[in-house]
Amino acid sequence: MEAQKNTKKYWIYCFAWLAIMIALIIFKREFFWLALPGTGTYFAKAMDIF
């Protein structure tokens, strides 16, 4: 059996980036895409995809 990795910190980072992305959508719509790499990366790490 493979040991499970602790992904709690990646979930925290993912939700932090999601909050930043939502704030950018509300206040500066043209810059929201800057938060997409962080959100996607930490979501993938939290899901243990890579």
Side-chain angles (χ1 to χ4, degrees), residues 30-46:
E30 63 271 14
F31 293 116
F32 107 95
W33 62 271
L34 292 173
L36 284 175
T39 306
T41 299
Y42 285 112
F43 179 73
K45 283 185 154 299

Side-chain angles (χ1 to χ4, degrees), residues 19-37:
I20 291 168
M21 187 170 66
I22 291 170
L24 284 172
I25 288 173
I26 293 170
F27 297 112
K28 286 286 192 179
R29 200 173 283 258
E30 63 271 14
F31 293 116
F32 107 95
W33 62 271
L34 292 173
L36 284 175

Side-chain angles (χ1 to χ4, degrees), residues 7-26:
T7 60
K8 184 185 287 187
K9 72 175 181 178
Y10 294 131
W11 280 114
I12 293 170
Y13 293 155
C14 177
F15 287 122
W17 275 105
L18 183 63
I20 291 168
M21 187 170 66
I22 291 170
L24 284 172
I25 288 173
I26 293 170

